[in-house]
Amino acid sequence: MDPKKFEQIVNEVVSLQGRPMESRQCPDQYLGSIGELLKEPTFPIRVSARNRPAEPCVLMVLESPHIDEFTDEPGPAKGLTGEMIRQHLTECLNIPGLEDYGLVLVNAIQHQCSLGSNTIVYRDRIFRAVWSSGGKEDFQSRIADLYQSGDIVVNCCTKGNDYEIHTPLRNLVEMALRTAIPNVESVRRMHPASWRKAEWRGIMWRV
């Protein structure tokens, strides 16, 4: 989505009273072979997801970038989320031969829906507003272009904070996935930030 359009949507939904807004996009990225990145302090490489290898990859979908993702050049899962992925991915997916796959991280919305605040403040409202104003179609186009036969699609989006009164964010993304790549059944897992607790690893959430 064009940054100007994102700014327009945000200004229609909330009043920032002159506070600066992060309007850069966080690009979808290929982060290396899973076998190479496990237990490492950082991801071995960060390149555009369009430059992913021809070999099968895990396409992990997150909802939107937060604060760490915009440190220096924007990139997905730079903070705790990335650390949890590198430490616990194989345990959480439990798929034979997973270490031979590459890893591609995709944000359903590439802009900072949290606006740099605690996620309970703005994220869900901004995500829903962007999603209904072209964000869904943008995501579907990106994921359809990235997907190759043999890939594993993992929906790790959060359900959001307002899931009791609105459709959970992860369900919105799941429905979009099923339309964009209809012959592919995604693997549904909790957001990697929750993998700090062993009981949340490997849990499949219900649609």
Side-chain angles (χ1 to χ4, degrees), residues 13-14 22 32 50 83 107 120 123 125 140 149 157 161:
V13 175
V14 299
E22 175 59 80
R50 294 181 179 180
E83 181 182 345
N107 275 293
I120 201 170
R123 185 195 59 200
R125 280 185 291 164
Q140 289 177 311
S149 179
C157 296
N161 299 304

Side-chain angles (χ1 to χ4, degrees), residues 78-114:
K78 284 191 171 183
L80 173 67
T81 295
E83 181 182 345
M84 293 298 99
I85 290 171
R86 294 188 297 273
Q87 290 184 11
H88 304 299
L89 183 60
T90 53
E91 176 187 354
C92 291
L93 294 186
N94 192 26
I95 295 173
L98 189 69
E99 294 185 9
D100 295 328
Y101 285 72
L103 177 65
V104 175
L105 294 184
V106 177
N107 275 293
I109 292 177
Q110 294 177 308
H111 293 280
Q112 189 187 59
C113 293
S114 69

Side-chain angles (χ1 to χ4, degrees), residues 18 68 70 77 84 119 142 181:
D68 291 334
F70 291 95
M84 293 298 99
T119 56
R142 285 184 287 117
I181 41 177

